[in-house]
């Protein structure tokens, strides 16, 4: 069966592309159509045509579409979780958790539809009333990455639809399966023709066509820094709203007074789970000298117990890297770390399993410095570097010495240091005695510096991007 693109409410065929399972490269998860530039232009035109009616649709209609979508996602979480694990390589429990989160996001924004509000204020001039309302921005282009193939599309599409926008979705070429399933659910939940459009395919074709279109009124992107800059430049040219979530080089600080078991578990989860393929993953472990050796020894023991295998196998802690290109990049960075003088304390070996796949043993470097490339550049794999520091003050300085600012964490039992770190960490999200990865769906998500641009995603803060403020003056 060929999974087609959805354009103007119709399923449209295209050149077929196989969706390969990274746990077993002999297995194709399915055949998915690749959209052409003309297909993409047609999808944008359909979204533009559908916008006037959808933007003025009764709130109960929009609520019903989002509520039905969320309910079906949760009802099918085992099935969709299996699909996610097969196409992306995330372990089955993690995949089911991600699907559940996608359903919760739609449920949250179904509620937000019924809570749309504005303000009525008195004017400084007598006899004049002032109304402040929010209106949808128009056609929203959504470009999503491969590492969260259903949660990230969900947290962009749900608020876009809730606030009355129409959507053109371009998922990552590596993982079309979850995006197709999500759009199919939204379509069958009652979204009118053109309100949600799916154009799968290459970024150089589909993505570029979206960037070039003057009819895309807002563009939300999650992915690499390089592509994010291209999104920004094209958006400035067309005077459109744009929102970027890009890289991270997230620090996790471990102080001498930390509970060692808490610190080790948080570090292992932050650095290696989901194969380290999270923008919020912690690849810099900044450890004060009093606990350094005990922390490294305990973390190494924890890593020895991690099971790396097929994402669908019971007992697997870490699945494969997503594809051959990403595996090659991870291995190259491990070689770079060695050449820079860091000590490979554990792991870093490519593994063979019962099926051919992109398996990599998580790697831990010690004796790293914050000037090394492995401490400056986002690797996006299960590779972490331990940086030894003297005290909290040095740890904070090293943590903030980065071009990124998405997430940060600290392990400490000191209220003083925890409070100071929360205030002075230059990151959009700060975790205390928790992994740097792992966030709630109803609160803001986003970072600073080179990690993010534009309004925050998720929760009520999503309204800042997906709506435009209107001020109305009326003579009484």
């Amino acid at each position: 069966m060929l999974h087609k693109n959805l354009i103007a409410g119709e399923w449209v065929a295209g050149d077929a592309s196989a969706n390969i399972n990274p746990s077993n490269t002999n297995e194709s998860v399915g055949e998915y159509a690749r959209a052409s530039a003309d297909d993409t232009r047609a999808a944008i035109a359909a979204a533009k045509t559908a916008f006037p009616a959808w933007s003025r649709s009764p709130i109960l209609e929009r609520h019903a579409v989002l509520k039905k979508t969320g309910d079906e996602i949760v009802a099918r979480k085992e099935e969709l979780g299996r699909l996610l694990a097969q196409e992306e390589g995330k372990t089955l429990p993690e995949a089911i958790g991600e699907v559940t989160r996608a359903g919760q996001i739609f449920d949250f924004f179904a509620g937000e539809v019924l809570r749309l509000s504005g303000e009525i204020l008195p004017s400084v001039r007598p006899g004049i009333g002032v109304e402040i309302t929010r209106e949808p921005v128009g056609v929203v282009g959504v470009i999503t990455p491969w590492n969260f193939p259903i949660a990230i599309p969900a947290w962009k599409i749900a608020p876009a639809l809730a606030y009355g926008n129409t959507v053109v979705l371009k998922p990552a070429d590596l993982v079309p399966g979850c995006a197709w399933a999500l759009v199919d659910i939204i379509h069958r939940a009652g979204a009118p023709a053109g309100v949600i459009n799916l154009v799968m395919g290459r970024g150089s074709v589909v993505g570029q066509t979206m960037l070039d279109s003057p009819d895309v009124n807002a563009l939300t992107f999650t992915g690499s820094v390089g592509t994010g800059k291209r999104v920004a430049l094209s958006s400035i040219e067309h005077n459109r709203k744009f929102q970027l979530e890009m890289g991270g080089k997230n620090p996790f600080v471990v102080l001498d007074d930390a509970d060692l078991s808490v610190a080790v578990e948080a570090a292992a989860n932050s650095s290696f789970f989901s194969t380290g393929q999270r923008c919020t993953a912690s690849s810099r472990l900044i450890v004060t000298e009093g606990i350094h050796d005990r922390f490294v020894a305990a973390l190494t023991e924890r890593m020895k117990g991690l099971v790396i295998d097929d994402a669908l196998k019971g007992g697997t802690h870490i699945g494969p890297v997503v594809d051959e290109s990403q595996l090659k990049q991870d291995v190259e960075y491990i070689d770079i770390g060695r050449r820079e003088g860091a000590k490979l304390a554990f792991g870093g070996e490519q593994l063979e399993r019962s099926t051919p796949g992109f398996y990599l043993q998580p790697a831990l470097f010690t004796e790293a410095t914050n000037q090394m490339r492995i401490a400056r550049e986002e690797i996006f794999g299960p590779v972490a570097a331990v940086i030894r520091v003297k005290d909290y003050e040095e740890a904070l300085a090293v943590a903030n010495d980065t071009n990124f600012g998405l997430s940060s964490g600290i392990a400490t039992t000191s209220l003083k240091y925890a409070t100071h770190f929360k205030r002075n960490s230059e990151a959009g999200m700060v975790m205390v005695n928790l992994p740097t990865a792992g966030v709630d769906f109803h609160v803001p998500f986003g970072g600073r510096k080179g990690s993010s641009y534009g309004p925050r995603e998720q929760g009520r803060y999503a309204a800042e991007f997906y709506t435009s403020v209107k001020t109305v003056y009326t003579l009484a």
Side-chain angles (χ1 to χ4, degrees), residues 52 111 120 131 134 136 170 207 257 274 290 295 320 396 412 418 456 466:
I120 297 179
E131 300 168 62
R134 287 188 175 273
K170 183 242 173 290
D257 63 26
S274 294
F295 173 80
L396 178 63
T412 180
R456 290 290 190 260
Y466 294 99

Side-chain angles (χ1 to χ4, degrees), residues 2-7 11-17 31-36 39 200:
L2 176 65
H3 296 79
K4 301 176 182 179
N5 292 294
L6 184 68
I7 301 172
W11 294 103
V12 178
D15 294 338
S17 175
E31 297 286 322
Y32 291 82
R34 277 184 168 154
S36 66
D39 290 333
M200 302 174 287

Side-chain angles (χ1 to χ4, degrees), residues 64-66 68-69 72 184-191:
V65 171
L66 269 67
K68 288 177 184 177
T69 298
E72 181 171 340
D184 175 59
I185 292 170
I186 298 169
H187 176 59
R188 289 186 292 98

Side-chain angles (χ1 to χ4, degrees), residues 136-336:
V137 296
V139 176
V140 176
V142 175
I143 301 177
T144 57
W146 50 258
N147 61 326
F148 283 88
I150 195 166
I152 292 180
W155 84 47
K156 294 178 185 293
I157 293 170
L161 298 182
Y163 296 119
N165 302 281
T166 54
V167 170
V168 178
L169 168 65
K170 183 242 173 290
D173 200 20
L174 273 176
V175 289
C178 286
W180 187 93
L182 176 59
V183 169
D184 175 59
I185 292 170
I186 298 169
H187 176 59
R188 289 186 292 98
V195 168
I196 178 73
N197 302 272
L198 172 68
V199 277
M200 302 174 287
R202 298 189 183 281
S204 58
V205 177
V206 177
Q208 190 60 49
T209 304
M210 292 170 69
L211 266 56
D212 293 341
S213 174
D215 291 328
V216 175
N217 305 113
L219 216 161
T220 175
F221 167 83
T222 299
S224 70
V225 173
T227 305
K229 289 179 178 178
R230 290 173 55 203
V231 170
L233 288 171
S234 72
S235 297
I236 290 169
E237 180 181 350
H238 292 295
N239 199 30
R240 71 163 69 100
K241 293 183 80 170
F242 64 99
Q243 177 184 60
L244 309 176
E245 288 296 340
M246 299 176 289
K249 199 65 184 174
N250 309 298
F252 184 74
V253 172
V254 180
L255 299 185
D256 287 352
D257 63 26
D259 181 314
L260 186 61
S261 62
V262 169
V264 167
E265 196 56 37
N269 185 306
S270 297
S271 302
F272 308 125
F273 282 57
S274 294
T275 325
Q277 297 173 156
R278 300 181 283 193
C279 56
T280 52
S282 180
S283 52
R284 292 187 299 145
L285 306 176
I286 302 167
V287 186
T288 50
E289 55 190 5
I291 199 173
H292 177 279
D293 293 352
R294 287 184 293 130
F295 173 80
V296 169
L299 181 56
T300 301
E301 282 303 308
R302 179 72 176 92
M303 293 173 70
K304 289 178 181 177
L306 295 175
V307 176
I308 299 94
D309 210 329
D310 189 314
L312 293 176
K313 275 190 179 180
T316 296
H317 298 122
I318 296 173
V321 175
V322 71
D323 72 347
E324 186 174 9
S325 174
Q326 186 63 48
L327 177 62
K328 181 181 179 183
Q329 177 173 302
D330 295 346
V331 171
E332 285 178 352
Y333 269 106
I334 292 169
D335 289 340
I336 289 168

Side-chain angles (χ1 to χ4, degrees), residues 253 255 288 390-397 410 417 420-421 424:
V253 172
L255 299 185
T288 50
K390 182 177 64 175
D391 53 22
Y392 169 75
E393 286 71 24
E394 185 181 0
L396 178 63
I410 188 170
Y417 289 134
H420 190 274
F421 188 80
N424 292 280

